[in-house]
Amino acid sequence: MAFLSGVKQFFSRNSAAQSTPKNGTKVSVQQNNFNPSQIKVPKQQQGKAVYLTKSAMSSGQPLSNTDRNLVNTDITTFRTEQDTQKVIRQFAIAMPDLSASVAAYIRMAVTKTYTATAKNQDGTFNRDATTALQSILTRFDVLKNYEEGFSNTASIRAVAEMLAKELRYYGACALELVLDKQRLPVRLQPITVSSIKFVPEKDGSLKPIQKVDSDEIDLDIPTFFYRPIDQDLLTAYPDSPLEAALQPALFNQQFMDDLRRIVRQAIHPRMKVTINTESILAQMPAYYQESSDDEDENTKVNNYIQGVVDSISNIVNSMEPEDAFVSTDSIEASYITAGNNSHDSEIVNLQNMIDAKVATGTKTLPAILGYGSASSNIASTESLLFMKSAEGVQFALNDIFSQALTLALRLMGYDVYVDFSFGSINLRPDAELEAFKAMEQSRILEQLSYGFISDDEASLRLTGKLAPESMPELSGTNFTVNKSSVSENPYSNTSQGALNQDLNQTNTPKNAKSKNGGKAGN
């Protein structure tokens, strides 16, 4: 097609490709023995979505949408799923605490911006390869192949969100770099870890396969990438970081179900209606006082009283809160209350204990899950610790994207590797970050002035784009860097916490206060 041929013409490079910096010096960017044609890769997608079974593909009908019907479903019944991975997935969707933990990690790890640069084997910057890399990312994010109609190519952020959820559900993530017949990158296709199995080879290596329905797909290909997090060396499979939270979350749900019943039966006041039996019997019609062949007198009397009780019960139970209860003196109404007995302290202690276990099991601090009731200093510390945990997910995403994009460039003839990274995690608002950005800009310009980084590297870190061709060469020119005027404390009042305080300031007296100068004795 014209679109693909144009892309191939733009990206085609041979093994002798060279980079031409702005100063006109030719710099070889590839080794002589590098030959991308030796990399054997499939020319179509190998991995498969687990919902694309044979029956679904052959039916021609729309895919079914599973409805968990959580409004009318007892969440604790999800514990009967076939394996732990399915239980974790159901619980992480249905239970508020686990769902909040997964969502918090995704929102933290997948930041608003990302940078991707191509570097030579010695770590130096490669402008030509970075230009090709930026074009690939642009096509992934916004420029789809309109000749295909609907495009199912997910953007980098969308793929990262899927992979981050896999990392939280199953402790690992996987994706495939899908190529076309010309070996050009088409998209990054995530593959669920729950469908991947490992087969040991004779040499001790592992061969990945994907099981979809009754099919086994060989994923022992260069375009398949797998990244576990905190891998256990005693098993080939990852462990879910949420597995330790299953029992506490189940206990929490059972406790909430019990508490819901207690609230309706014991805590909320209920109406008590007392019927004066003597008065009711005095008003009983004569029919019920006579015996017959079918029923004796006692049976008729009991039926009459039961009918009166049922009638009053229907009236009381159907009343709205604002309705008045009007009756004769034969009926007395009152409220059932627990009096002065209260179990709120026991309930609070139990709930706090369960919340602590859930927070520990999900590796999510209480302040993030909404449990925090301590001081702002403790909340600030918990937020920082959670950011460190979220960085572990972000590191895994950076690794797997770097590996996939490195292969994409090497197949196009560049003997380079890709350094991909999402923006740093930060809880401060953008307006407050301006002071920190000013300090970072001064540091980057100073490195540029001394020649530690190139113009393109500085431009990428400052603007996210390569430096314009018309911009003069500044790297290593020792130009003067104007230091940004930054206040002594760039923190706003909204972010003051334990981490931003000067812990060296104390009220300890510096000089002796006693009359004898602090000497022993009188």
Side-chain angles (χ1 to χ4, degrees), residues 281-492:
L281 291 176
Q283 303 174 27
M284 183 175 61
Y287 167 77
Y288 292 96
Q289 301 177 8
E290 300 175 355
S291 61
S292 62
D293 296 338
D294 298 334
E295 296 177 317
D296 58 13
E297 182 179 348
N298 292 333
T299 302
K300 284 190 173 183
V301 171
N302 292 335
N303 291 339
Y304 173 75
I305 294 176
Q306 186 62 44
V308 173
V309 172
D310 293 341
S311 177
I312 295 174
S313 298
N314 293 333
I315 295 174
V316 173
N317 293 332
S318 61
M319 290 177 59
E320 297 294 336
E322 67 273 9
D323 293 343
F325 182 69
V326 181
S327 65
T328 62
D329 56 0
S330 60
I331 299 175
E332 180 182 353
S334 61
Y335 279 108
I336 299 177
T337 61
N340 294 328
N341 297 327
S342 176
H343 301 282
D344 57 341
S345 60
E346 290 87 346
I347 293 176
V348 170
N349 291 334
L350 278 173
Q351 187 63 64
N352 291 339
M353 179 186 68
I354 296 172
D355 291 345
K357 292 297 182 181
V358 171
T360 304
T362 58
K363 288 79 175 173
T364 309
L365 277 300
I368 307 300
L369 293 177
Y371 301 156
S373 59
S375 64
S376 60
N377 292 344
I378 295 178
S380 299
T381 304
E382 290 181 351
S383 299
L384 177 62
L385 293 175
F386 176 70
M387 288 170 55
K388 295 298 182 182
S389 299
E391 284 179 351
V393 176
Q394 191 181 75
F395 293 155
L397 296 176
N398 294 341
D399 287 348
I400 198 167
F401 279 124
S402 298
Q403 295 172 19
L405 295 173
T406 295
L407 178 59
L409 285 184
R410 295 182 73 83
L411 289 174
M412 294 163 55
Y414 295 101
D415 187 14
V416 296
Y417 69 92
V418 172
D419 183 6
F420 180 97
S421 62
F422 279 101
S424 301
I425 300 175
N426 206 312
L427 297 179
R428 299 182 182 90
D430 290 341
E432 183 181 332
L433 287 174
E434 287 300 319
F436 297 94
K437 291 179 180 178
M439 291 186 288
E440 181 184 16
Q441 175 178 303
S442 298
R443 175 172 53 83
I444 293 174
L445 292 178
E446 189 172 6
Q447 292 176 338
L448 178 65
S449 175
Y450 292 142
F452 291 121
I453 58 177
S454 66
D455 291 45
D456 290 318
E457 289 179 281
S459 179
L460 279 173
R461 292 167 62 180
L462 292 174
T463 66
K465 297 179 291 185
L466 291 171
E469 291 287 349
S470 58
M471 194 179 91
E473 186 84 17
L474 296 177
S475 179
T477 58
N478 293 320
F479 62 89
T480 303
V481 179
N482 295 325
K483 300 292 184 180
S484 301
S485 177
V486 181
S487 60
E488 183 178 355
N489 181 15
Y491 297 93
S492 69

Side-chain angles (χ1 to χ4, degrees), residues 9-132:
Q9 182 179 3
F10 178 81
F11 287 121
S12 59
R13 297 289 188 274
N14 54 36
S15 58
Q18 294 179 336
S19 175
T20 306
K22 295 176 185 178
N23 55 17
T25 304
K26 295 283 185 179
V27 179
S28 177
V29 299
Q30 296 177 343
Q31 301 174 357
N32 295 330
N33 58 354
F34 173 66
N35 186 3
S37 61
Q38 296 178 353
I39 305 176
K40 305 300 181 182
V41 293
K43 297 182 180 180
Q44 61 181 1
Q45 180 177 337
Q46 300 297 305
K48 195 164 138 183
V50 295
Y51 51 79
L52 295 179
T53 59
K54 287 183 177 180
S55 58
M57 296 285 289
S58 60
S59 65
Q61 299 297 323
L63 296 172
S64 60
N65 185 12
T66 303
D67 185 5
R68 294 177 181 85
N69 195 20
L70 295 180
V71 176
N72 301 313
T73 302
D74 182 4
I75 299 177
T76 59
T77 58
F78 290 146
R79 67 192 301 178
T80 60
E81 290 286 350
Q82 297 177 356
D83 53 56
T84 303
Q85 288 184 335
K86 293 182 179 179
V87 173
I88 290 174
R89 182 171 181 269
Q90 297 285 14
F91 275 18
I93 295 174
M95 291 190 171
D97 299 324
L98 270 63
S99 177
S101 173
V102 173
Y105 270 91
I106 295 175
R107 296 283 80 81
M108 279 283 191
V110 185
T111 53
K112 182 170 59 176
T113 60
Y114 65 82
T115 58
T117 57
K119 298 181 179 180
N120 299 317
Q121 298 295 326
D122 57 357
T124 57
F125 182 80
N126 189 308
R127 179 182 175 85
D128 285 351
T130 302
T131 302

Side-chain angles (χ1 to χ4, degrees), residues 124-163:
T124 57
F125 182 80
N126 189 308
R127 179 182 175 85
D128 285 351
T130 302
T131 302
L133 175 62
Q134 296 296 326
S135 299
I136 293 175
L137 295 174
T138 300
R139 288 193 291 119
F140 284 168
D141 285 339
V142 292
L143 292 178
K144 314 297 181 181
N145 187 358
Y146 304 116
E147 297 181 4
E148 295 180 352
F150 170 73
S151 176
N152 198 28
T153 302
S155 65
I156 293 295
R157 281 183 52 85
V159 173
E161 291 168 356
M162 302 177 202
L163 298 180

Side-chain angles (χ1 to χ4, degrees), residues 197-209 218 220 236-237:
K197 304 297 179 183
F198 292 99
V199 178
E201 299 282 77
K202 293 182 179 180
D203 59 356
S205 61
L206 297 177
K207 174 184 175 182
I209 61 173
D218 185 8
D220 189 15
Y237 296 98

